[in-house]
Amino acid sequence: RKEVEQDPGPFNVPEGATVAFNCTYSNSASQSFFWYRQDCRKEPKLLMSVYSSGNEDGRFTAQLNRASQYISLLIRDSKLSDSATYLCVVNYEGYQKVTFGTGTKLQVIP
Amino acid sequence: DTEVTQTPKHLVMGMTNKKSLKCEQHMGHRAMYWYKQKAKKPPELMFVYSYEKLSINESVPSRFSPECPNSSLLNLHLHALQPEDSALYLCASSPSGTSGSYNEQFFGPGTRLTVL
């Protein structure tokens, strides 16, 4: 089993739709969690950190479920510019050891 | 300044060449990272420097040699690489290498390396 797993997609959704991604992690000692987005041939960019209480940033909502060892990302009112690969990231061992999930590709269609 | 810069953007080298990749940040971050990313795959962690000391080496072959001359700079020295080492090499930095903080990483644009 991979340490951090995501559904690779692609998720093809129409503009304005709501889409959700999940990410599961195997190491219960994992400490901190993030969502990044990566556009084709570009570097990953931090989208949001994921806190235990859940957090929201505009159209984006992140949730953490430690008991079931997964994090989720909800995107409301999808825009064409949301098309990208979404990577979840899990940190442990003193916040230095970083593992990326396999990534989920999102394509928002006009 | 919230930017991580990397040079060069592109690099083509032969298997007998020696080259270096450079990374710089001026955010006062104390942890810096090297990643390797192949097409359609997530970034793979190679090295972590924390407070200018190598803290993690993910069993990377010795033909890759990292160096951290100061808290703002990170180099990756390349020697006798193989064609399968062709990839995007990403540098990142984060505020702290210690626990107790939410250690978001910020990435540079990467160096696209081709080994002939």
Side-chain angles (χ1 to χ4, degrees):
Chain A
R1 184 185 171 188
K2 291 191 176 126
E3 289 184 56
V4 182
E5 288 198 77
Q6 297 179 247
D7 182 341
F11 283 57
N12 296 314
V13 302
E15 271 186 289
T18 295
V19 62
F21 310 133
N22 278 344
C23 168
T24 57
Y25 59 94
S26 59
N27 189 330
S28 59
S30 299
Q31 302 282 359
S32 53
F33 309 88
F34 308 90
W35 283 103
Y36 283 76
R37 68 170 280 168
Q38 186 170 26
D39 294 284
C40 188
R41 299 182 70 82
K42 298 282 191 181
E43 74 273 24
K45 289 190 188 296
L46 179 67
L47 184 63
M48 56 199 305
S49 305
V50 187
Y51 303 118
S52 296
S53 54
N55 46 302
E56 189 174 309
D57 183 2
R59 299 182 292 110
F60 299 86
T61 301
Q63 297 279 348
L64 167 62
N65 185 319
R66 283 191 187 272
S68 300
Q69 294 184 204
Y70 75 84
I71 64 173
S72 64
L73 177 68
L74 183 78
I75 305 176
R76 289 181 297 278
D77 189 22
S78 298
K79 312 286 184 197
L80 295 176
S81 57
D82 294 332
S83 298
T85 295
Y86 289 82
L87 298 155
C88 70
V89 174
V90 174
N91 282 23
Y92 48 102
E93 288 186 26
Y95 301 86
Q96 290 184 3
K97 188 162 174 63
V98 177
T99 303
F100 277 75
T102 44
T104 297
K105 187 169 181 179
L106 171 67
Q107 186 70 46
V108 181
I109 304 162
Chain B
D1 184 355
T2 57
E3 195 179 42
V4 178
T5 59
Q6 287 187 247
T7 55
K9 283 189 171 32
H10 300 274
L11 178 62
V12 179
M13 61 187 289
M15 290 189 281
T16 57
N17 292 157
K18 284 185 183 181
K19 296 286 185 184
S20 296
L21 310 185
K22 297 187 184 301
C23 173
E24 190 167 3
Q25 57 89 12
H26 292 289
M27 295 179 276
H29 288 174
R30 302 315 302 268
M32 295 184 77
Y33 309 75
W34 280 115
Y35 290 85
K36 173 182 177 180
Q37 187 174 25
K38 302 283 270 185
K40 300 189 190 301
K41 298 286 188 185
E44 292 177 22
L45 183 65
M46 299 174 73
F47 302 104
V48 180
Y49 273 83
S50 177
Y51 294 90
E52 299 162 52
K53 288 187 169 34
L54 183 65
S55 58
I56 293 179
N57 176 341
E58 291 284 77
S59 303
V60 178
S62 60
R63 58 186 185 269
F64 296 91
S65 174
E67 179 197 18
C68 189
N70 60 54
S71 59
S72 300
L73 290 173
L74 186 66
N75 298 323
L76 186 64
H77 302 299
L78 315 172
H79 173 54
L81 294 194
Q82 305 296 311
E84 59 265 29
D85 296 321
S86 299
L88 179 67
Y89 287 84
L90 293 159
C91 173
S93 70
S94 64
S96 169
T98 60
S99 61
S101 61
Y102 234 73
N103 211 14
E104 293 93 344
Q105 293 189 25
F106 297 88
F107 284 81
T111 293
R112 198 161 294 279
L113 174 68
T114 302
V115 182
L116 300 176

